[in-house]
Amino acid sequence: MRQIFWRRFDWMLLALALLLSMFGVLMVASALAGNEVLASWPWRQAAFLGIGILLLFLTSIIDYRLLPSVTYPIYFILLGMLVVIAVIGTVAGGAQRWLTLGELFLQPSELIKLGVILMLAHYLAAREEKMESFLTPLFGLLLFAPAVVLIYLQPNLGTALVLIAIGATMFFVGGLRWRHLVVLAGLGIAAAIAAWQYVLQDYMRNRVMMFLNPTTASVADRYNVEQAMISIGSGGWLGRGLFRGSQSQLHFLRIRHTDFIFSVTAEELGFIGAVLLILLLAFLLLRLLRIASIARDTYGRLIVVGVTAMILFQMVVNIGMNLSLMPVTGLPLPFISYGGSALWTMLIGIGLAESVAMRYRKIEFE
Amino acid sequence: MKPAISRSEARLLLLRGVIAVVVTVLIGRLWQLQMVEGASYLIRSDRNRFREVDVAAPRGVIYDRNGKILARNRPSFTIAVVPGDLPKTREGEPDPAKDAAVLDRLLDLLARPAPKLRPSPTPTLTPTATKGSANTQTTVSKPVSATMQIPNRQAWYMPRAEIEQAIKDGRLGGAYRAIPIAKYIDEGTAFTVAEDAVNLPGVDLQLDPIRDYPSGSLTSHLIGYMGHIPAGALDKYKAKGYAQNEQVGLTALESTFEHELRGKPGRQTIEVDVNGRRMRTVGQPDPAVPGHNLVLTLDLDLQRAATTALQEALDKSSGFTKATQGVAIAMDPRNGKILAMVSLPSFDNNLFAKGVTTEAWEALTSNPDHPMFNQAVGGQYPPGSIFKPIVASAALQEGVINSQTLLGDGFDGANDGIIWLPNRYLPGDRTKDQKFVSWNAKQGFGWGKINVKKALAVSDDIFFYQLGGGYLDIFRGLGISALDYYTSQFGLGATTGIELQGEGAGLVPDEKWKRLNYAEPWLTGDTYNASIGQGFVLATPLQMTNATAAIANRGTLYKPQLVDHITDAEGKTVKPFQSNIIRELPVDAGTLDVVREGMYGAVNWPEGTAPNVRLPGIAIAGKTGTAEYYRDWDKDGQPDKDPKENLPTHAWFTAFAPYQDPEIAVTVFVANGGEGSSVAAPVAAKILRAYFGIDTAPPAPVTPITPTTTAAPTPTAKPAE
């Protein structure tokens, strides 16, 4: 039975995740080459990856069907933490995202993504039969909204948008009716207008305007995006060579190891390398959706859909920003950008998907 | 159950469709950027990293004749902050906390005592790396005199509050413009800051070459100084390939030899990082050609001796009022080489190397003694009695007299140092006669009838009045036209062509000139005055030195020159010295020998006017001069006079030595100095002493009979008593 258990493990998914993560370590090394202060960071990223693989296996071993019992407590504890952070942050000012948790464990803003995925999957799966009622999605929305608001207030617009993307996708796949979708969309627009008029303060409006209209972006943002386009454009077919991109190595490109790591890839490895990266991510996403399709229950399927939505949205926003298709937000590229918390979130997400995959056919177990 | 599954299956399919669309859009955009527009982005990335930069050509060094450095280059270190390069927050916003950290660290480094570096004898600017050999550092063959070290310039620091304000202002526009916050910091501190660059993002160390003049005010009038291109001359310099902010020689040799000293800046392509820091050079550089070096004819030791001697004379002067201005020139009469040229007061040309402050400039330009003005070439003064050798040469050559002709006091029966010139319109009325006196009239005696040699030796004015203007029916003089001719031949009335700006031509007055300027006819009295170097005659100290040199060398007037030869950076001579003869004088050597003997007498004969110039073992010939001049400081419309009714006088002395085979000609001028014999002559003696290396104390002073030329600048008729 042990043997059968591991045979259900999606080794292809793991391979794709590891390939992307190791590729990320390499690109971080290239992005930080020549920086003596940050010389150790590629090694740290490799260490994060090692820990992340452990987390991935640990998560996959836990039977996801045991999670519903702890889902709400975990979710509300996370919300409580976000409130505490918001209050203390207001008092102390700045540095809300990390707070006392420091680098020891996940940032709350990363953890809340997984919390929302589990919570919504549980809520929607349990009410699959009651989706005809408008109250079901409405209550779901009320459960979900505090997380978005608290993250937005941090302020962390990027993660708030990721949460919205996750929620929208899960509601959609979870069986939201089209008529409810229309009503909710209408309500959302009305609420947005009301908030714009009465709730949001000027600086908040500016931030939203900046998102909607990139020409009002800050000078630094515009410089970064322009240098990203020069980096990508000068890559050509095969690129300037790893560790040889002039834009990256001479630091014309900024925030290279996180926000603009895709530009480093496109410059140094060219069209071929960049397309390969996009395709690897796409295969990983499709592989996740395969698991969603064969999942034994709605709960498992929605978990995997949530993870898929998280990766897809961050990928689109990050690469879109690099290619000047999207406004500048500080979202990292999944698996590739430097950062332990972000990588662990992704790998734990993959671990959740593996947990679902390993248990998809009842008969072989019982 | 089944419809729900199929609904979610359908929606998962839709999600797959979204992924496909996303991948297509992203790859399509990538294709557009990399394949379609790639070429233009490649150009832009090259524009980011490649810079064409000038490679500064080290400016030529200026040496004295013994290899002592008079002008050289040295690096000036400036610390600047570039607001745009200061550390930022993750969002790319300015971060005051990080700014403060960088400033704390930087100011702490600047405040530390500078580490001691091995002093380099010649801190010439190290040429920027050009991989080539053409830029070898200009080395000096001879050591710099120890006493010549000038202290380091005072460093300048911007106060912290101003720095913070400047950074704030800079961010509002031109964030990548460097703000200098410390200038002229010493080398050790500069290196400390450079080594800590990793911790000081946004902090730039700039290295500018500035000119350094070790001999400072000793040679300022000759070397000159540099500065920004004057607004009016910008186009002219730009046509020669100068950059707008380049420094050029503005005065004296720095200006005259700007072309030779500058060299040719090179160009090269370098790769820079985002902070403009040089990563590597690209391709073959067009190397800089260092400027040529000037080796002067000047002897710095003699220049210093002359300066000291002249300054002492000024300090203890008790003339009409205290003397503050003076000139000393030494020249080699065999070739025109200038050995020393001092004009006091002087200024420190190092003030200009780092950009002169407004206060210093005001102080220099408003000083009534005009320290920036080189009187040696630009000052025009009545030469007084040192003009007499020229008059004597002319008269002897024209045959007006021979060496034995006797003229002078006593034709009117009274050997008293006074003669009377009849009024031009009332020749019969003795009461309208004009009185002309010799300096010795005050002592109550005359020299009687003497020959030209003795007249020169004792500086008898009566003799020269008669020699130039004639006397009654008894003697027909040289006349103003012939005197003017010879005066011009001796170089007066025209610039000498020395390599300095602002030369004065002096004045050789003639009948036409007086009619144009005074609307009066030329009178015999005017010729009388001209014959003793008074009246309208004006000459520069350099012209008088040159005339003396021509007498010393028996008839050749050389162009005075300051630059001996020009060498390239390796020390190879590219332009050797060539003496430049203005003209051969139309005076026979034998004639000049008579004049020379008279000048010998002035120093060596018992009755000579300059016995105090005698040196052991060296025969010296000279001529004193005490020239009255018109001055009206109290603005009463009358010339200033002392209680004894004396006009103020300039002290002159000109000499050459050794008498037989002269190798040095000296002229000393002290404006408002009083007597030439007692004020100017001792200075010349000290210069000659230094030149011939005679260290013994001067002999017990022989008190000369002080000659005072007493002739009014403008003729005034005086009634007989």
Side-chain angles (χ1 to χ4, degrees), chain A residues 37 128 169 172-173 175-178 218 220 223 226-227 229-230 232-237 240 246-247 250-252 254 259 262 266 270-271 274-275 278-279 282 285-286 289-290 292-293 301 305 312 315-316 319 323-325 330, chain B residues 1 4-5 7-9 11-12 14-16 18-20 22-23 25-27 29-35 37-39 41-46 48-51 84-85 88 90-93 176 198-199 271-275 279:
Chain A
V37 179
E128 201 173 10
T169 313
F172 183 66
V173 177
L176 183 69
R177 300 296 181 265
W178 288 107
S218 71
Y223 170 85
E226 184 162 311
Q227 294 304 321
M229 284 173 71
I230 294 175
I232 295 167
S234 60
W237 271 109
R240 322 280 303 259
S246 67
Q247 287 285 108
L250 299 176
H251 305 180
F252 291 102
R254 289 170 194 271
D259 293 7
F262 180 81
F271 183 71
V275 167
I278 292 172
L279 288 181
L285 291 170
L286 292 175
L289 288 186
R290 190 190 73 95
S293 291
R301 177 186 308 119
V305 165
L312 174 62
M315 167 190 161
V316 169
I319 298 183
L323 293 169
S324 284
L325 293 172
Chain B
M1 191 89 177
I5 292 294
R7 175 186 284 119
S8 74
E9 261 311 317
R11 291 189 176 177
L12 284 180
L14 204 65
L15 214 50
R16 288 188 175 91
V18 168
I19 293 172
V22 161
V23 167
V25 168
L26 292 182
I27 291 180
R29 173 68 168 169
L30 206 52
W31 177 270
Q32 183 198 0
L33 290 183
Q34 296 198 293
M35 297 297 133
E37 299 167 1
Y41 285 117
L42 196 59
I43 291 170
R44 289 181 67 186
S45 81
D46 283 348
N48 265 347
R49 66 179 173 141
F50 292 139
R51 295 262 188 292
D85 289 337
K88 306 235 167 45
R90 196 175 170 283
E91 285 76 30
E93 300 298 324
Y176 289 91
V198 164
N199 296 317
E271 190 182 57
V272 297
D273 72 0
V274 67
N275 295 327
M279 309 306 286

Side-chain angles (χ1 to χ4, degrees), chain A residues 134 138 176-190:
Chain A
F134 184 61
L138 203 61
L176 183 69
R177 300 296 181 265
W178 288 107
R179 60 177 188 280
H180 295 164
L181 182 66
V182 171
V183 173
L184 283 177
L187 277 178
I189 290 167

Side-chain angles (χ1 to χ4, degrees), chain A residues 231-232 235-236 239 261-271 274, chain B residues 30 34:
Chain A
S231 306
I232 295 167
I261 199 154
F262 180 81
S263 298
V264 178
T265 311
E267 185 194 21
E268 301 196 335
L269 301 177
F271 183 71
Chain B
L30 206 52
Q34 296 198 293

Side-chain angles (χ1 to χ4, degrees), chain A residues 41-323:
Chain A
W41 283 27
W43 298 107
R44 280 170 66 176
Q45 181 73 358
F48 291 146
L49 176 55
I51 297 169
I53 292 169
L54 279 179
L55 290 174
L56 187 155
F57 278 106
L58 276 175
T59 317
S60 65
I61 288 167
I62 299 168
D63 190 339
Y64 71 95
R65 287 166 298 181
L66 299 175
L67 293 176
S69 54
V70 292
T71 295
Y72 284 123
I74 288 177
Y75 181 65
F76 285 114
I77 287 170
L78 281 173
L79 284 188
M81 274 168 64
L82 287 177
V83 170
V84 169
I85 289 168
V87 172
I88 295 177
T90 316
V91 176
Q96 291 102 317
R97 293 189 205 173
W98 286 90
L99 204 72
T100 46
L101 289 168
E103 290 185 62
L104 289 176
F105 197 56
L106 291 170
Q107 297 171 47
S109 62
E110 288 290 333
L111 268 184
I112 195 70
K113 291 182 200 165
L114 297 172
V116 161
I117 289 172
L118 290 178
M119 186 278 292
L120 278 182
H122 177 52
Y123 176 84
L124 291 171
R127 286 160 188 76
E128 201 173 10
E129 311 300 332
K130 299 177 185 166
M131 287 303 279
E132 289 294 333
S133 160
F134 184 61
L135 289 180
T136 309
L138 203 61
F139 274 118
L141 212 56
L142 288 179
L143 270 176
F144 165 64
V148 177
V149 171
L150 285 170
I151 289 289
Y152 174 72
L153 289 179
Q154 270 194 340
N156 189 345
L157 182 66
T159 303
L161 290 172
V162 174
L163 291 182
I164 291 172
I166 291 171
T169 313
M170 290 178 74
F171 274 105
F172 183 66
V173 177
L176 183 69
R177 300 296 181 265
W178 288 107
R179 60 177 188 280
H180 295 164
L181 182 66
V182 171
V183 173
L184 283 177
L187 277 178
I189 290 167
I193 291 171
W196 185 264
Q197 294 282 16
Y198 302 110
V199 181
L200 291 186
Q201 288 164 4
D202 275 347
Y203 75 93
M204 289 174 164
R205 283 181 207 152
N206 284 341
R207 202 175 296 152
V208 176
M209 282 308 294
M210 225 183 268
F211 184 86
L212 297 175
N213 180 8
T215 56
T216 61
S218 71
V219 177
D221 279 353
R222 264 181 293 166
Y223 170 85
N224 293 341
V225 167
E226 184 162 311
Q227 294 304 321
M229 284 173 71
I230 294 175
S231 306
I232 295 167
S234 60
W237 271 109
L238 291 168
R240 322 280 303 259
L242 202 56
F243 294 94
R244 309 256 310 265
S246 67
Q247 287 285 108
S248 316
Q249 304 302 328
L250 299 176
H251 305 180
F252 291 102
L253 185 63
R254 289 170 194 271
I255 351 182
R256 300 176 295 285
H257 60 299
T258 55
D259 293 7
F260 290 101
I261 199 154
F262 180 81
S263 298
V264 178
T265 311
E267 185 194 21
E268 301 196 335
L269 301 177
F271 183 71
I272 300 292
V275 167
L276 198 68
L277 176 60
I278 292 172
L279 288 181
L280 279 176
L281 282 164
F283 285 141
L284 180 118
L285 291 170
L286 292 175
R287 198 74 192 167
L288 283 171
L289 288 186
R290 190 190 73 95
I291 296 173
S293 291
I294 63 173
R296 62 182 291 160
D297 52 20
T298 307
Y299 179 52
R301 177 186 308 119
L302 287 177
I303 289 177
V304 179
V305 165
V307 172
T308 309
M310 173 176 76
I311 297 175
L312 174 62
F313 185 77
Q314 288 195 202
M315 167 190 161
V316 169
V317 171
N318 179 280
I319 298 183
M321 170 184 78
N322 274 269
L323 293 169

Side-chain angles (χ1 to χ4, degrees), chain B residues 371-633:
Chain B
M372 310 256 293
F373 175 62
N374 184 357
Q375 306 160 75
V377 299
Q380 303 173 100
Y381 312 99
S385 295
I386 66 166
F387 184 68
K388 286 173 183 166
I390 296 174
V391 184
S393 304
L396 286 164
Q397 183 65 29
E398 285 294 300
V400 176
I401 53 167
N402 62 37
S403 62
Q404 297 310 319
T405 308
L406 297 178
L407 287 175
D409 230 349
F411 286 105
D412 57 1
N415 186 10
D416 53 3
I418 301 170
I419 55 171
W420 301 87
L421 195 61
N423 187 291
R424 177 187 171 113
Y425 304 105
L426 302 161
D429 185 353
R430 305 309 297 173
T431 61
K432 293 282 188 291
D433 280 3
Q434 192 181 350
K435 180 186 179 190
F436 284 86
V437 299
S438 182
W439 59 273
N440 41 292
K442 282 224 170 65
Q443 269 87 12
F445 70 95
W447 291 105
K449 290 176 186 155
I450 53 177
N451 67 20
V452 68
K453 294 176 192 169
K454 176 149 189 204
L456 283 167
V458 303
S459 201
D460 183 9
D461 294 332
I462 305 293
F463 181 96
F464 282 96
Y465 292 143
Q466 295 167 346
L467 188 58
Y471 185 63
L472 306 178
D473 301 330
I474 300 162
F475 177 74
R476 188 177 145 74
L478 183 62
I480 190 63
S481 318
L483 180 58
D484 280 351
Y485 169 73
Y486 283 95
T487 305
S488 302
Q489 289 295 304
F490 271 90
L492 275 69
T495 55
T496 65
I498 193 173
E499 309 97 316
L500 296 173
Q501 298 81 28
E503 239 199 300
L507 178 62
V508 180
D510 57 14
E511 294 176 48
K512 189 181 169 196
W513 176 88
K514 192 183 178 193
R515 259 201 304 280
L516 286 173
N517 287 275
Y518 286 81
E520 283 174 18
W522 189 268
L523 303 174
T524 306
D526 294 327
T527 311
Y528 269 30
N529 284 325
S531 300
I532 59 162
Q534 292 279 176
F536 304 112
V537 181
L538 293 176
T540 67
L542 180 63
Q543 284 172 336
M544 293 318 296
T545 315
N546 215 20
T548 300
I551 292 167
N553 68 30
R554 298 179 175 85
T556 308
L557 190 71
Y558 286 99
K559 182 173 122 177
Q561 293 188 72
L562 267 167
V563 175
D564 191 88
H565 58 281
I566 300 176
T567 73
D568 64 16
E570 270 84 38
K572 239 184 331 194
T573 299
V574 293
K575 186 175 177 291
F577 178 79
Q578 212 166 6
S579 64
N580 196 330
I581 296 170
I582 295 176
R583 68 177 70 85
E584 296 292 346
L585 296 182
V587 184
D588 302 335
T591 304
L592 288 172
D593 274 335
V594 176
V595 176
R596 293 172 84 253
E597 201 183 330
M599 291 174 74
Y600 174 83
V603 176
N604 298 287
W605 293 344
E607 291 168 323
T609 53
N612 50 352
V613 185
R614 286 176 208 164
L615 289 187
I618 310 280
I620 292 170
K623 184 73 200 79
T624 55
T626 304
E628 291 178 334
Y629 68 103
Y630 176 86
R631 169 179 114 176
D632 184 17
W633 282 6

